[in-house]
Amino acid sequence: MQKSILTPIFSTFPAKPRYRKLLCRAISGNFNPIQTVRQNAAPNIFTTPQLPPTSVYIHLPFCRKRCHYCDFPVVALGSNSPTQTNDNEDDPRISNYIQLLCREINASRVSFESHSPLETVFFGGGTPSLVPPRLVSSILDLLKGKFGVTSDAEISMEMDPGTFDVKKMEEFMELGVNRVSLGVQAFQEQLLKACGRAHGVDEVNEAIEIMKSCGVENWSLDLISSLPNQTPQMWEESLKLTIEAQPNHVSVYDLQVEQGTKFGTLYTPGEFPLPTDVQSADFYRTASRMLSGAGYNHYEISSYCQDGFECKHNFTYWKNKPFYGFGLGSASYVRGMRFSRPKKMGGYINFVRSLENGMVDYTGNTNINVGDLASDIVMLSLRTAAGLNLKFFRCAFGYSVVASLCEAYKPFIESGHVLCLNEQRRVVTADEFNASLNEDGIGRGLAYIRLSDPDGFLLSNELISIAFGAIVP
């Protein structure tokens, strides 16, 4: 689920769900585009936002109950609602929403002369696995008819333990779902209950067994650290059991307490029974050590994977590529414009009606705000182990911008929180870095900048803020 309440680690920019909230800025009438001649020098960076999206996010908001940390738009069906089977196929709350969602997709304008088929589809929520496969099929059929879907598309679905059985999993797989994100969160009964999760440890173990028995070849397991009363021993146990389950991918999030949630009423960040900031950082270091030691690549702040199992859909966000979003509270990035739908059902219903009546136009803006674009690229690139490509960044925004960024990072190169790599991706020393801070060196001897793992990632919020100040003074 696009969990806006979770951050990847202590003191960082938020993880997969929340960075969408940060980036999905409303584009108002006083939008002031800044054009530079360098757009012609780096057409890839400037034209990518204008290309037809090849990824789509579909929000299915249904949950059995709202977790105590959740502030995302969800519809709680009730703990007694049928879950594993398709007995809830006729639940009007689900079927009516799917009809509304399909109306939105149908009414959305496709303002491109040619359109490449979709390469990734991501069903998030909520708990999408509560939706009957028949209704998921209707969404996929509509996407195929309107946009096309490649034969090898990554089709992901977030699923919670206890909301599916073998039969339902097989039906999803028959529809083309080929990647599962399993919301385990913890392997301790007391932590799951404290979070208000609807499942228990037995259902976690059952769900993992279903992944294996059904032959799901690409699945991820989600964990949350810094939960109330969570001890280092509990966290290590969860990581150990995760490694034993052998998922292809692991996502690790640090709890963020949001106002308006039950946790927001009960707890204050950094105060018992929540861990201190230092303890949260230790949780992150432990995850990095144990998962990396088990052969997982730490390829993004909150994401680990076996070789070749990076989440293709999330790379759409990290590479600042355009994407469609449909459904309650979802966001799109089309033709350089980021646009969010209403988070309340009544507002979303009115939005779809206005869209059908031609009263909503979010097809984009051919003008590009260079400062915003540079900031987005830096923030998203530094979330990843690949880091920021200085050659491309210089080509797009000029030597002075890159030089300012490198100059701002000098103290952190020396402290080891920021790493600079050459074209062969060898880490350069601080002395080599200082000697190459010139027009010949930047982009050649200094080819990439990334944050170190784990200490640089732990300071990513501060380090990215410093980058913003350097490139957009």
Side-chain angles (χ1 to χ4, degrees):
M1 45 206 87
Q2 298 287 339
K3 310 177 191 66
S4 65
I5 46 3
L6 304 177
T7 55
I9 45 176
F10 156 63
S11 190
T12 70
F13 266 85
K16 66 170 182 179
R18 190 169 173 82
Y19 82 75
R20 290 193 318 118
K21 180 186 288 187
L22 286 169
L23 286 180
C24 295
R25 297 183 292 268
I27 305 299
S28 62
N30 60 0
F31 178 71
N32 181 26
I34 305 171
Q35 300 292 332
T36 78
V37 295
R38 297 191 186 94
Q39 291 190 30
N40 295 325
N44 186 50
I45 286 178
F46 287 96
T47 60
T48 293
Q50 305 291 344
L51 295 176
T54 57
S55 294
V56 61
Y57 171 79
I58 303 292
H59 189 65
L60 302 179
F62 306 102
C63 290
R64 286 186 282 181
K65 57 186 292 192
R66 180 182 287 275
C67 298
H68 298 338
Y69 49 72
C70 178
D71 74 338
F72 211 65
V74 300
V75 176
L77 299 176
S79 298
N80 296 325
S81 177
T83 55
Q84 292 189 336
T85 66
N86 294 331
D87 293 342
N88 58 355
E89 185 133 359
D90 295 324
D91 188 322
R93 293 170 294 182
I94 297 179
S95 57
N96 290 344
Y97 175 81
I98 299 302
Q99 291 177 11
L100 185 65
L101 173 69
C102 289
R103 284 170 54 193
E104 184 200 350
I105 297 172
N106 267 322
S108 297
R109 292 173 54 189
V110 180
S111 56
F112 299 97
E113 294 183 2
S114 61
H115 201 298
S116 300
L118 298 174
E119 297 173 1
T120 72
V121 179
F122 196 103
F123 291 100
T127 307
S129 47
L130 286 171
V131 178
R134 177 182 64 84
L135 297 179
V136 174
S137 177
S138 67
I139 300 170
L140 283 171
D141 288 343
L142 182 56
L143 293 175
K144 291 174 183 177
K146 191 175 185 71
F147 303 108
V149 178
T150 61
S151 59
D152 61 346
E154 176 190 87
I155 302 179
S156 302
M157 176 175 283
E158 292 178 336
M159 309 177 81
D160 277 358
T163 63
F164 61 96
D165 55 14
V166 169
K167 181 177 182 294
K168 197 172 188 180
M169 185 71 250
E170 289 176 342
E171 290 181 6
F172 283 133
M173 294 173 70
E174 289 174 3
L175 297 179
V177 174
N178 52 24
R179 184 179 184 275
V180 171
S181 180
L182 188 64
V184 171
Q185 318 311 0
F187 281 86
Q188 295 77 31
E189 201 76 47
Q190 67 196 84
L191 294 184
L192 293 173
K193 289 181 179 178
C195 290
R197 297 292 289 175
H199 67 263
V201 174
D202 288 344
E203 290 172 307
V204 168
N205 294 329
E206 180 184 2
I208 291 172
E209 183 56 38
I210 292 173
M211 293 295 110
K212 296 178 179 180
S213 64
C214 289
V216 181
E217 296 181 356
N218 187 358
W219 67 284
S220 178
L221 191 151
D222 289 0
L223 293 176
I224 305 177
S225 65
S226 300
L227 294 170
N229 294 304
Q230 188 177 38
T231 66
Q233 293 75 24
M234 289 176 177
W235 182 234
E236 289 187 16
E237 180 186 41
S238 287
L239 290 166
K240 177 177 177 291
L241 293 173
T242 295
I243 292 168
E244 290 177 359
Q246 298 182 316
N248 311 103
H249 187 284
V250 181
S251 293
V252 176
Y253 305 107
D254 194 83
L255 178 70
Q256 179 173 332
V257 177
E258 294 284 358
Q259 293 183 353
T261 66
K262 186 170 183 178
F263 274 4
T265 301
L266 294 174
Y267 305 128
T268 300
E271 296 183 7
F272 186 82
L274 296 180
T276 65
D277 288 344
V278 172
Q279 290 170 326
S280 292
D282 287 340
F283 282 142
Y284 185 77
R285 291 190 178 95
T286 298
S288 178
R289 172 177 55 82
M290 291 183 64
L291 292 171
S292 297
Y296 288 90
N297 302 316
H298 194 179
Y299 73 99
E300 188 268 343
I301 282 181
S302 58
S303 304
Y304 301 77
C305 73
Q306 297 172 347
D307 289 343
F309 285 92
E310 296 86 353
C311 179
K312 295 178 182 178
H313 181 83
N314 282 347
F315 265 119
T316 297
Y317 305 139
W318 300 327
K319 292 183 178 180
N320 205 40
K321 295 171 63 177
F323 56 90
Y324 292 116
F326 298 111
L328 183 71
S330 64
S332 296
Y333 180 35
V334 181
R335 289 195 182 276
M337 176 182 286
R338 301 188 187 275
F339 180 87
S340 294
R341 285 135 191 84
K343 294 184 177 182
K344 300 291 186 180
M345 190 63 73
Y348 177 59
I349 292 172
N350 291 333
F351 163 77
V352 173
R353 289 173 180 164
S354 297
L355 186 66
E356 291 175 322
N357 293 331
M359 298 171 63
V360 177
D361 181 12
Y362 59 94
T363 53
N365 192 322
T366 56
N367 296 316
I368 296 175
N369 185 307
V370 177
D372 282 351
L373 181 60
S375 298
D376 286 352
I377 290 172
V378 167
M379 182 177 77
L380 296 169
S381 296
L382 292 182
R383 288 184 58 89
T384 69
L388 177 67
N389 187 315
L390 293 179
K391 180 178 180 180
F392 289 164
F393 199 69
R394 172 181 174 174
C395 186
F397 302 105
Y399 167 74
S400 61
V401 173
V402 181
S404 295
L405 176 63
C406 290
E407 190 68 29
Y409 274 165
K410 280 178 66 174
F412 303 98
I413 293 285
E414 294 174 358
S415 67
H417 291 92
V418 176
L419 304 178
C420 190
L421 297 80
N422 64 14
E423 291 181 304
Q424 289 73 44
R425 298 198 67 86
R426 176 184 68 82
V427 177
V428 303
T429 66
D431 289 341
E432 291 173 320
F433 177 81
N434 293 331
S436 300
L437 285 179
N438 53 62
E439 291 203 44
D440 291 332
I442 295 179
R444 296 176 184 173
L446 309 181
Y448 305 91
I449 278 184
R450 60 154 296 181
L451 307 186
S452 63
D453 177 18
D455 290 336
F457 281 154
L458 279 166
L459 291 179
S460 63
N461 190 42
E462 288 82 354
L463 293 172
I464 292 173
S465 294
I466 289 169
F468 288 174
I471 63 179
V472 188

